[in-house]
Amino acid sequence: MKPVRKAIIPAAGLGTRFLPATKALAKEMLPIVDTPTIEYIVREAIASGIEDIVVVDGKSKRSIEDHFDSNPELENNLREKNKLELLELVEETTDINMYFIRQSHPKGLGDAILTAKDFIGDEPFVVLLGDDLMQDEVPLTKQLIDRYHETGESTLAVMEVPHEQVSEYGVIDPAAKVKDGLYRVKSFVEKPKPEEAPSDLAIIGRYLLTPEIFEELEKTKPGKGGEIQLTDAIDTLNNRQHVYAHKFTGDRYDIGSKIGFLETNITFGLKHPQVKDELRAYIKELAAKL
Ligand code: G1P
């Protein structure tokens, strides 16, 4: 079994939900407290043992490339001022093997993954979507890699969501529970209407895929929203190799919507050593006025 060493992070979306902030700035650079959202994703991959990360980006994404590059001027400045903790923080993100591919004409998530085909080659790999931050004792990407060592097949993360929200997700039709938290899957449906959804188990943004997915993606026609859907390619892959679903039970923060983004900032702020006490006091004061 080949080791799982590579990750794809798709980041070619226009971020229209966060306009005007995203007119010139990549959505992935918006911070949760003090850290760009994409850095949380990259850290999850690294903590899971991933060695090489490719970001599939689009226009206005230069800031992502700069963030993971060295910045000698800033680093010298921090060194001179003896701000060594900050220096360490800045340097941590420059020692990662990050690669960038430009998706010039974004045609959907499936197309973004296909763009990274040559980078991945003939190896299993993971996909991490930037709109979901996950927290658990073991990083979710590592959980998927551990499952892959059991199953030897593609495995994606799912979570139970309220029934009326299923139309925002890819949804699985579970065939059989293999063991606690692991399902064989009958089919995968992208954003079904609630009345047509086969279950409330939604695909959340972490996938472990075998390289055969690229053959399926090459054949996949535009689906929901006229886009090449990764979910559709996974559904056809499931006809030739079993695809498994791993149920995530940790905390998931949906930062793809304004409200989710604000809630996550507050939640992470309440845990941040530098601001948690002041923020808690401020929220109490504010609540008393409401
Ligand atoms: C994408 C996938 C969908 C998945 C979701 C998870 O949708 O197409 O299957 O459930 O991510 O966040 P998007 O949110 O990009 O529309």
Side-chain angles (χ1 to χ4, degrees):
M1 191 183 283
K2 289 188 180 168
V4 184
R5 302 182 308 116
K6 295 180 182 174
I8 304 177
I9 301 180
L14 296 175
T16 41
R17 284 189 207 161
F18 290 94
L19 279 169
T22 48
K23 189 176 169 194
L25 182 73
K27 175 181 76 167
E28 293 76 10
M29 289 302 295
L30 296 175
I32 300 294
V33 190
D34 51 11
T35 302
T37 58
I38 192 165
E39 190 176 320
Y40 291 95
I41 306 287
V42 166
R43 284 180 185 272
E44 179 187 326
I46 299 293
S48 303
I50 294 298
E51 293 165 16
D52 293 329
I53 299 175
V54 64
V55 177
V56 181
D57 63 14
K59 291 188 181 59
S60 307
K61 302 289 175 161
R62 180 60 55 79
S63 50
I64 303 180
E65 300 186 20
D66 287 346
H67 184 72
F68 292 100
D69 197 358
S70 63
N71 183 339
E73 207 178 317
L74 171 67
E75 287 160 30
N76 285 340
N77 187 291
L78 293 173
R79 206 169 287 119
E80 275 162 24
K81 293 188 174 137
N82 211 26
K83 296 189 171 167
L84 300 181
E85 262 178 50
L86 286 178
L87 179 65
E88 198 181 324
L89 210 58
V90 166
E91 284 181 336
E92 260 174 29
T93 46
T94 62
D95 289 338
I96 301 167
N97 294 336
M98 301 273 296
Y99 305 85
F100 296 88
I101 306 180
R102 175 65 62 95
Q103 190 193 16
S104 354
H105 303 287
K107 284 183 277 192
L109 178 59
D111 184 54
I113 304 306
L114 188 53
T115 308
K117 179 181 174 209
D118 290 342
F119 174 85
I120 298 295
D122 191 26
E123 297 181 23
F125 62 99
V126 289
V127 174
L128 296 92
L129 304 188
D131 280 348
D132 293 295
L133 298 191
M134 314 293 188
Q135 285 192 335
D136 205 350
E137 271 169 42
V138 175
L140 176 52
T141 296
K142 174 78 168 59
Q143 294 179 23
L144 291 182
I145 294 172
D146 291 343
R147 287 299 200 198
Y148 174 70
H149 290 147
E150 292 172 38
T151 64
E153 310 270 19
S154 297
T155 308
L156 30 119
V158 296
M159 208 169 181
E160 203 121 12
V161 297
H163 186 64
E164 63 280 8
Q165 288 174 19
V166 287
S167 57
E168 295 167 26
Y169 298 92
V171 174
I172 67 161
D173 186 357
K177 204 179 210 177
V178 181
K179 55 163 78 166
D180 217 24
L182 186 68
Y183 302 86
R184 282 258 296 275
V185 181
K186 213 181 288 167
S187 64
F188 299 81
V189 194
E190 181 66 7
K191 305 200 171 89
K193 291 183 186 142
E195 59 274 24
E196 287 163 11
S199 77
D200 292 343
L201 288 170
I203 302 171
I204 49 175
R206 300 293 184 274
Y207 309 73
L208 191 151
L209 298 166
T210 54
E212 286 76 19
I213 190 67
F214 294 116
E215 291 161 32
E216 302 308 322
L217 281 168
E218 276 163 350
K219 291 185 274 181
T220 303
K221 303 260 176 316
K224 263 271 145 65
E227 298 190 341
I228 311 281
Q229 296 292 351
L230 179 59
T231 306
D232 294 346
I234 290 171
D235 192 51
T236 53
L237 179 66
N238 194 31
N239 297 330
R240 58 190 272 208
Q241 301 178 342
H242 292 307
V243 178
Y244 291 83
H246 163 73
K247 194 169 172 184
F248 180 56
T249 53
D251 296 324
R252 166 173 173 258
Y253 300 92
D254 174 7
I255 53 169
S257 68
K258 280 194 184 94
I259 184 68
F261 182 78
L262 287 173
E263 285 169 359
T264 308
N265 258 301
I266 293 170
T267 311
F268 280 45
L270 287 171
K271 293 181 194 168
H272 193 291
Q274 278 168 0
V275 295
K276 61 180 186 185
D277 296 336
E278 275 175 83
L279 183 61
R280 184 173 302 277
Y282 174 68
I283 291 171
K284 271 194 187 150
E285 192 187 303
L286 200 62
K289 282 190 210 155
L290 292 175

